[in-house]
């Protein structure tokens, strides 16, 4: 699989992580070519940490792994939707999803 085409506009692309069963959006992270390759190779999510400038495997420390079920690119080939089987909470706060801070009413 040629993954370079997803990184023609930028060396980092957003990856929206969604529960494969419930369709709940769990988190958003960024991928580079290496993290996407490792994700495809291992079947578990790998991302690029913008703050630490290093690869990270989601759940390697916490045990809350994300088994990849499907990877879908958007129409512009610059954003990914990754459907996963999530074990444990996706958010580092302990919440199921990183999206829980409602703004306004």
């Amino acid at each position: 699989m040629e993954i370079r085409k997803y990184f023609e506009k930028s060396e980092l692309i957003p990856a929206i992580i969604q529960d494969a069963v419930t369709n709940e959006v769990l988190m958003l992270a960024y991928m580079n070519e290496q993290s996407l390759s490792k994700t495809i190779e291992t079947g578990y999510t790998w991302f690029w940490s913008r703050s630490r400038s290093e690869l990270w495997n989601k759940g390697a420390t916490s045990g809350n792994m994300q088994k990849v079920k499907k990877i879908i690119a958007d129409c512009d080939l610059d954003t990914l939707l990754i459907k996963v089987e999530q074990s444990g909470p996706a958010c580092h706060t302990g919440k199921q999803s990183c999206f829980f801070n409602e703004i306004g009413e």
Side-chain angles (χ1 to χ4, degrees):
M1 169 191 246
E2 177 54 46
I3 65 168
R4 178 167 250 121
K5 65 184 174 185
Y6 303 108
F7 300 92
E8 289 178 359
K9 296 176 187 167
S10 177
E11 59 187 48
L12 289 179
I13 61 172
I16 302 161
I17 310 305
Q18 183 179 43
D19 187 288
V21 175
T22 67
N23 288 325
E24 180 179 19
V25 174
L26 300 174
M27 58 182 280
L28 175 120
Y30 290 86
M31 293 185 134
N32 62 10
E33 285 186 54
Q34 186 180 12
S35 64
L36 180 55
S37 287
K38 286 185 76 72
T39 296
I40 293 166
E41 175 186 319
T42 65
Y44 289 88
T45 55
W46 286 79
F47 304 107
W48 180 256
S49 170
R50 296 179 301 162
S51 60
R52 297 186 313 267
S53 295
E54 65 182 17
L55 285 175
W56 61 282
N57 176 225
K58 176 65 179 159
T61 303
S62 67
N64 299 327
M65 306 292 289
Q66 295 174 334
K67 183 173 178 53
V68 175
K69 296 300 188 177
K70 187 183 288 189
I71 302 174
I72 305 163
D74 75 336
C75 58
D76 295 323
L77 302 180
D78 62 3
T79 302
L80 301 176
L81 174 65
I82 303 178
K83 293 182 171 258
V84 301
E85 179 183 301
Q86 176 72 46
S87 65
C91 187
H92 72 281
T93 65
K95 301 269 190 185
Q96 180 62 21
S97 169
C98 292
F99 295 95
F100 57 86
N101 291 303
E102 190 170 335
I103 298 174
E105 295 184 271

